[in-house]
Amino acid sequence: MRTQVAIIGAGPAGLLLGQLLQRAGIETVILERRSADYVLGRIRAGVLEQGTVELIARAGCDARLRVEGLPHAGVNLCFGGRRHRIDLAALTAGKEVVVYGQTEVTRDLMEARAAAGARTVYEAAGVHLEGFDRARPVVHFLKGGIAQTLECDFIAGCDGFYGVSRQSVPEGALETFERVYPFGWLGLLADVPPANEELIYVNHEDGFALCSMRSPTRSRYYLQCAADEKVENWSDQRFWDELRRRLDPEAAAALVTGPALEKSIAPLRSFVAEPLRFGRLFLAGDVAHIVPPTGAKGLNLAASDVHYLSEALIEYYGEGSSAGIDAYSTRALARVWKAERFSWWMTSLLHHFPENGRFGHRIQLAELEYLVSSRAAAASLAENYVGLPF
Ligand code: FAS
Ligand code: PHB
């Protein structure tokens, strides 16, 4: 088998890159370890930056997003039992975010890829990368127990934090930076109307909470929990009671409860691997960086990398120039680190850190009061939340 760009991973990064390249006439093959249903079954991100929406549109996959996506011109901060709205649109000359689940983005991209007849090999096992430090990289894998070989010009490692691509980089060629947070997020998905039409981020002395949604009839909620917490310890009722306790009175009164469709705990970490290019291997998405979801940046950063990498590869094949691929790592990382900072800052501001004591909690409250009383401070939060320019 031969192609121009071999993509490892059919998550948002791999699928979006594949779609942008195929529309530019560049042939790709995606190798995905899991089944399509398994990939679609993972409940993850929910908020798209305007730049991500524009990229999905450039990929020709925004039809359903335009109809079902929920544009949000504001976001709410709740602390001391009071809720304050940050007017994103007013503070960013009209920019908004769109609430549209990662599952739906992935589904739209999968369907577009299949309709274009582009090849995705699901349940590809034992992926092994070879020769990306030379002109003719090769990817080996098993399909149905049969050994296969994919020759290509370039490999895009889009296989997530636990993927094989970053692990394939020679020892010492990679530098990593990491911060692991002493808590996790217990998430619950339910077919109940949202407690509020916009998101609410809560700083409560017993822990962070977030009210989000997937549609006017499907809600997504999160509670800060211990890093070693077990989801089995949380009945639906316990979750709803604790969430109600952390919300402001109006949201608590508006909270509609119901049976959980999904309940899971995600660990929180900040992580960056540098650089993002090794000869003819490029890293894009969670394979290269992880952010705590407090800033709603994970999926959007995957799209950011894909913006730069797709442009670079289209320039290479279209104009024979390697300027873009030579600059990819530096350009992508410049935006990655700004989103890492914002995600770390939102996490530090909104979560309960027992080790920081009462003084630490008062500093958080002082910063929150400053944010909701200073246009300059609110504008800084707003321009990062809607997404800095590419
Ligand atoms: P992904 O991990 O989505 O996709 C990588 C793909 O590669 C997967 O399909 C995997 O099966 C495949 N793969 C792995 N190893 C392979 C191999 N060896 N061979 C072939 N394929 C392989 N972001 C937010 O913005 N908001 C959130 O609320 C949020 N919640 C999250 C909750 C959890 C539990 C997790 C893990 C992440 C969350 N994220 C959130 C971040 C998430 O949305 C990621 O940023 C996003 O999925 C990144 O997309 P990809 O880079 O494509 O990686
Ligand atoms: C979500 O809807 O899953 C979501 C929204 C905003 C975040 C994190 C997760 O910051």
Coordinates of all heavy atoms in Angstrom, one line a residue, residues 8-14 31-34 38-39 42-47 102 124 127 158-165 185 214 220 222 264-267 284-287 291 293 296-300 302, ligand 1:
I8 N -1.8 8.6 11.6 CA -2.1 7.6 12.7 C -3.1 8.2 13.7 O -2.8 9.3 14.3 CB -0.8 7.3 13.5 CG1 0.4 7.2 12.5 CG2 -0.9 6.1 14.3 CD1 0.3 6.0 11.5
G9 N -4.3 7.6 13.7 CA -5.3 8.0 14.7 C -6.5 8.7 13.9 O -6.3 9.6 13.1
A10 N -7.7 8.2 14.2 CA -8.9 8.8 13.6 C -9.7 9.5 14.7 O -10.9 9.4 14.8 CB -9.8 7.7 13.0
G11 N -9.0 10.3 15.5 CA -9.7 11.3 16.4 C -9.9 12.6 15.7 O -9.7 12.6 14.4
P12 N -10.3 13.6 16.3 CA -10.5 14.9 15.6 C -9.3 15.4 14.8 O -9.4 15.8 13.7 CB -10.8 15.9 16.8 CG -11.2 15.1 17.9 CD -10.6 13.7 17.8
A13 N -8.1 15.2 15.4 CA -6.9 15.7 14.7 C -6.7 15.0 13.4 O -6.5 15.6 12.3 CB -5.6 15.6 15.6
G14 N -6.7 13.7 13.5 CA -6.4 12.8 12.3 C -7.5 13.0 11.2 O -7.1 13.2 10.0
L31 N -4.8 5.2 9.8 CA -4.8 4.0 10.6 C -5.3 4.2 12.0 O -4.7 5.0 12.7 CB -3.4 3.4 10.6 CG -2.7 3.2 9.2 CD1 -1.2 2.7 9.5 CD2 -3.5 2.2 8.4
E32 N -6.4 3.6 12.4 CA -7.0 3.8 13.7 C -7.0 2.4 14.4 O -7.5 1.4 13.9 CB -8.4 4.3 13.5 CG -9.3 4.3 14.7 CD -8.7 5.0 16.0 OE1 -8.3 6.1 15.9 OE2 -8.7 4.3 17.0
R33 N -6.6 2.5 15.7 CA -6.5 1.3 16.5 C -7.8 0.7 16.9 O -8.0 -0.5 16.9 CB -5.7 1.6 17.8 CG -5.5 0.5 18.8 CD -4.6 0.8 19.8 NE -5.0 1.9 20.7 CZ -4.2 2.4 21.7 NH1 -3.1 1.8 22.0 NH2 -4.6 3.4 22.4
R34 N -8.8 1.6 17.1 CA -10.1 1.1 17.6 C -11.1 1.1 16.4 O -10.8 1.4 15.3 CB -10.6 2.1 18.6 CG -9.7 2.3 19.8 CD -9.8 1.1 20.7 NE -9.1 1.4 22.0 CZ -9.1 0.6 23.0 NH1 -9.8 -0.6 22.9 NH2 -8.5 0.8 24.2
Y38 N -16.2 2.7 18.6 CA -15.5 3.0 19.9 C -15.1 4.4 19.9 O -15.2 5.1 20.9 CB -14.3 2.1 20.0 CG -13.5 2.2 21.3 CD1 -13.8 1.4 22.4 CD2 -12.6 3.2 21.5 CE1 -13.1 1.5 23.6 CE2 -11.9 3.4 22.7 CZ -12.2 2.5 23.7 OH -11.5 2.7 24.9
V39 N -14.5 4.9 18.8 CA -14.1 6.3 18.8 C -15.2 7.3 19.1 O -15.1 8.2 19.8 CB -13.4 6.6 17.4 CG1 -13.1 8.1 17.3 CG2 -12.2 5.8 17.2
R42 N -16.6 7.8 22.8 CA -15.8 8.6 23.8 C -16.5 10.0 24.0 O -16.6 10.7 23.0 CB -14.4 8.7 23.4 CG -13.6 7.4 23.5 CD -12.1 7.6 23.3 NE -11.8 8.3 22.0 CZ -10.9 7.7 21.1 NH1 -10.3 6.6 21.4 NH2 -10.7 8.3 20.0
I43 N -16.9 10.3 25.2 CA -17.5 11.6 25.5 C -16.4 12.5 25.9 O -15.8 12.3 27.0 CB -18.6 11.5 26.6 CG1 -19.6 10.4 26.2 CG2 -19.3 12.8 26.8 CD1 -20.4 10.7 24.9
R44 N -16.2 13.6 25.2 CA -15.1 14.5 25.5 C -15.5 15.9 25.4 O -16.4 16.4 26.1 CB -13.9 14.2 24.6 CG -13.3 12.8 25.0 CD -11.9 12.7 24.4 NE -11.2 11.5 24.9 CZ -10.1 11.0 24.2 NH1 -9.7 11.6 23.1 NH2 -9.5 10.0 24.7
A45 N -14.9 16.7 24.5 CA -15.0 18.1 24.5 C -16.4 18.6 24.0 O -17.1 17.8 23.4 CB -13.9 18.7 23.6
G46 N -16.6 19.9 24.3 CA -18.0 20.4 24.0 C -18.0 21.8 23.4 O -18.9 22.2 22.8
V47 N -16.8 22.5 23.5 CA -16.8 23.9 23.2 C -15.8 24.2 22.0 O -14.7 23.8 22.1 CB -16.4 24.8 24.4 CG1 -16.2 26.3 23.9 CG2 -17.5 24.8 25.4
Q102 N -17.7 17.0 20.7 CA -16.6 16.4 19.9 C -17.1 15.2 19.2 O -16.6 14.9 18.1 CB -15.4 16.0 20.9 CG -14.3 15.3 20.2 CD -13.1 15.1 21.0 OE1 -12.8 16.0 21.8 NE2 -12.4 14.0 20.9
A124 N -6.7 -1.2 13.2 CA -5.4 -1.5 12.7 C -4.5 -1.7 14.0 O -4.4 -0.8 14.8 CB -4.8 -0.3 11.9
V127 N 0.6 -0.9 15.2 CA 1.2 0.1 14.3 C 2.7 0.4 14.7 O 3.0 0.6 15.8 CB 0.4 1.4 14.3 CG1 1.2 2.6 13.6 CG2 -0.9 1.3 13.6
C158 N -1.2 11.5 14.9 CA -2.4 12.1 15.5 C -3.1 11.1 16.5 O -4.3 11.0 16.6 CB -3.4 12.5 14.5 SG -2.7 13.7 13.3
D159 N -2.2 10.3 17.2 CA -2.7 9.2 17.9 C -2.9 9.4 19.4 O -2.9 8.5 20.2 CB -1.9 7.9 17.6 CG -0.4 8.2 17.6 OD1 0.0 9.4 17.5 OD2 0.3 7.2 17.8
G160 N -3.0 10.7 19.8 CA -3.3 11.0 21.2 C -2.2 10.7 22.2 O -1.1 10.2 21.8
F161 N -2.5 11.0 23.5 CA -1.5 11.0 24.5 C -0.8 9.6 24.7 O 0.4 9.5 25.0 CB -2.1 11.4 25.8 CG -1.1 11.6 27.0 CD1 -0.2 12.6 27.0 CD2 -1.1 10.7 28.0 CE1 0.7 12.8 28.0 CE2 -0.2 10.8 29.0 CZ 0.7 11.9 29.0
Y162 N -1.6 8.6 24.5 CA -1.1 7.2 24.7 C -0.8 6.5 23.4 O -0.6 5.3 23.4 CB -2.2 6.4 25.5 CG -2.5 7.0 26.8 CD1 -3.7 7.7 27.1 CD2 -1.6 6.8 27.9 CE1 -3.9 8.3 28.3 CE2 -1.9 7.3 29.1 CZ -3.0 8.1 29.4 OH -3.3 8.6 30.6
G163 N -0.6 7.3 22.3 CA -0.4 6.7 21.0 C 1.1 6.2 20.9 O 1.9 6.3 21.7
V164 N 1.3 5.7 19.7 CA 2.7 5.1 19.4 C 3.6 6.2 18.8 O 4.8 6.0 18.9 CB 2.5 4.0 18.4 CG1 2.0 4.5 17.0 CG2 3.8 3.2 18.2
S165 N 3.1 7.3 18.2 CA 4.0 8.2 17.4 C 5.0 8.8 18.3 O 6.2 8.8 18.0 CB 3.1 9.3 16.7 OG 2.2 8.7 15.8
W185 N -11.8 15.3 37.2 CA -13.1 15.8 36.9 C -14.0 14.6 36.8 O -13.7 13.7 36.0 CB -13.1 16.5 35.6 CG -12.8 18.0 35.6 CD1 -12.1 18.6 36.6 CD2 -13.1 19.0 34.6 NE1 -11.9 20.0 36.2 CE2 -12.5 20.2 35.1 CE3 -13.8 18.9 33.4 CZ2 -12.7 21.4 34.3 CZ3 -13.9 20.1 32.7 CH2 -13.4 21.3 33.1
R214 N -24.9 19.8 25.6 CA -24.7 19.3 24.2 C -25.8 19.8 23.3 O -25.6 19.8 22.1 CB -24.6 17.7 24.2 CG -23.3 17.2 24.8 CD -22.1 17.6 24.1 NE -20.8 17.1 24.7 CZ -20.2 17.8 25.6 NH1 -20.6 19.1 25.9 NH2 -19.1 17.4 26.1
R220 N -24.3 18.4 30.1 CA -23.0 17.9 30.5 C -22.5 18.6 31.8 O -22.4 19.8 31.7 CB -22.0 18.0 29.4 CG -20.6 17.5 29.6 CD -20.6 16.0 29.7 NE -19.2 15.4 29.7 CZ -18.9 14.2 30.1 NH1 -19.9 13.4 30.6 NH2 -17.7 13.7 30.0
Y222 N -19.8 18.7 35.3 CA -18.5 18.2 35.9 C -18.4 18.6 37.4 O -18.8 19.8 37.7 CB -17.3 18.7 35.1 CG -17.2 18.3 33.7 CD1 -17.8 19.1 32.7 CD2 -16.6 17.1 33.3 CE1 -17.7 18.8 31.3 CE2 -16.5 16.7 32.0 CZ -17.0 17.6 31.0 OH -17.0 17.2 29.7
S264 N -18.0 9.5 34.1 CA -16.6 9.0 34.1 C -15.7 10.1 34.8 O -16.1 11.2 35.0 CB -16.1 8.8 32.6 OG -16.3 10.1 31.9
I265 N -14.5 9.6 35.1 CA -13.5 10.5 35.8 C -12.3 10.7 34.9 O -11.8 9.7 34.4 CB -13.1 10.0 37.2 CG1 -14.3 10.0 38.1 CG2 -11.9 10.8 37.7 CD1 -14.0 9.4 39.5
A266 N -12.0 12.0 34.6 CA -10.8 12.2 33.8 C -9.7 12.9 34.7 O -10.0 13.8 35.5 CB -11.1 13.2 32.6
P267 N -8.5 12.4 34.6 CA -7.4 13.0 35.3 C -7.0 14.4 34.7 O -7.4 14.6 33.5 CB -6.2 12.1 35.2 CG -6.5 11.4 33.9 CD -8.0 11.3 33.7
A284 N 0.6 16.0 16.0 CA -0.4 17.0 16.0 C -1.5 16.5 17.0 O -1.9 15.4 17.0 CB -1.0 17.2 14.7
G285 N -2.0 17.4 17.9 CA -3.1 17.1 18.8 C -2.5 16.6 20.2 O -1.4 16.9 20.6
D286 N -3.4 15.8 20.8 CA -3.1 15.3 22.2 C -1.8 14.5 22.2 O -1.2 14.3 23.3 CB -4.2 14.4 22.7 CG -5.3 15.2 23.4 OD1 -5.4 16.4 23.2 OD2 -6.1 14.6 24.1
V287 N -1.3 14.0 21.1 CA -0.1 13.2 21.1 C 1.1 14.1 21.6 O 2.0 13.7 22.1 CB 0.2 12.7 19.7 CG1 0.4 13.9 18.7 CG2 1.4 11.8 19.6
V291 N -4.0 19.6 27.9 CA -4.4 20.7 28.8 C -5.5 20.3 29.7 O -6.3 19.4 29.3 CB -4.9 22.0 28.0 CG1 -3.7 22.7 27.3 CG2 -5.9 21.6 27.0
P293 N -9.1 20.5 31.1 CA -10.2 20.9 30.2 C -10.9 22.2 30.7 O -11.8 22.7 30.1 CB -11.2 19.8 30.3 CG -10.7 18.9 31.4 CD -9.3 19.2 31.7
A296 N -11.3 24.7 28.0 CA -12.0 24.2 26.8 C -11.1 24.3 25.6 O -11.4 24.8 24.6 CB -13.3 25.0 26.6
K297 N -9.8 23.9 25.8 CA -8.8 24.1 24.8 C -8.3 22.8 24.1 O -7.7 22.9 23.0 CB -7.6 24.8 25.4 CG -7.8 26.2 25.8 CD -8.2 27.1 24.6 CE -8.9 28.4 25.0 NZ -9.8 28.9 24.0
G298 N -8.6 21.6 24.7 CA -8.0 20.4 24.2 C -8.3 20.2 22.7 O -7.4 20.2 21.9
L299 N -9.5 20.0 22.4 CA -9.9 19.8 21.0 C -9.5 21.0 20.1 O -9.0 20.8 19.0 CB -11.5 19.6 21.0 CG -12.1 19.5 19.6 CD1 -11.5 18.5 18.7 CD2 -13.6 19.3 19.7
N300 N -9.6 22.2 20.6 CA -9.3 23.4 19.8 C -7.8 23.4 19.5 O -7.4 23.9 18.5 CB -9.8 24.6 20.6 CG -11.3 24.7 20.6 OD1 -12.0 24.8 19.6 ND2 -11.9 24.6 21.8
A302 N -5.9 20.8 19.1 CA -5.7 19.8 18.1 C -6.0 20.4 16.7 O -5.3 20.2 15.7 CB -6.6 18.6 18.3
Ligands
FAS1 P1 -7.6 11.6 20.4 O1 -7.1 11.0 21.7 O2 -9.0 12.1 20.4 O3 -7.5 10.6 19.2 C1 -6.4 9.8 19.0 C2 -6.8 8.6 18.2 O4 -5.7 7.8 18.0 C3 -7.8 7.7 19.0 O5 -8.9 7.4 18.3 C4 -7.0 6.5 19.4 O6 -7.8 5.3 19.4 C5 -6.0 6.4 18.2 N1 -4.8 5.7 18.5 C6 -4.1 5.7 19.7 N2 -3.0 4.9 19.6 C7 -3.0 4.4 18.4 C8 -2.2 3.5 17.7 N3 -1.1 3.0 18.3 N4 -2.5 3.2 16.4 C9 -3.5 3.7 15.8 N5 -4.4 4.6 16.4 C10 -4.1 4.9 17.7 N6 -11.0 18.7 25.6 C11 -11.8 19.8 25.7 O7 -11.6 20.8 25.0 N7 -12.9 19.7 26.6 C12 -13.1 18.6 27.4 O8 -14.1 18.6 28.2 C13 -12.3 17.5 27.3 N8 -12.6 16.4 28.0 C14 -11.8 15.3 27.8 C15 -12.0 14.1 28.6 C16 -11.1 13.0 28.4 C17 -11.3 11.7 29.2 C18 -10.0 13.1 27.6 C19 -9.0 11.9 27.4 C20 -9.8 14.2 26.8 C21 -10.7 15.3 27.0 N9 -10.5 16.5 26.2 C22 -11.3 17.6 26.3 C23 -9.4 16.6 25.3 C24 -9.8 15.9 24.0 O9 -11.0 16.5 23.5 C25 -8.7 16.0 23.1 O10 -8.1 17.3 23.1 C26 -9.0 15.6 21.7 O11 -9.6 14.3 21.7 C27 -7.7 15.6 20.9 O12 -7.9 15.0 19.7 P2 -6.8 14.0 19.1 O13 -5.5 14.8 19.1 O14 -7.3 13.6 17.8 O15 -6.6 12.8 20.1

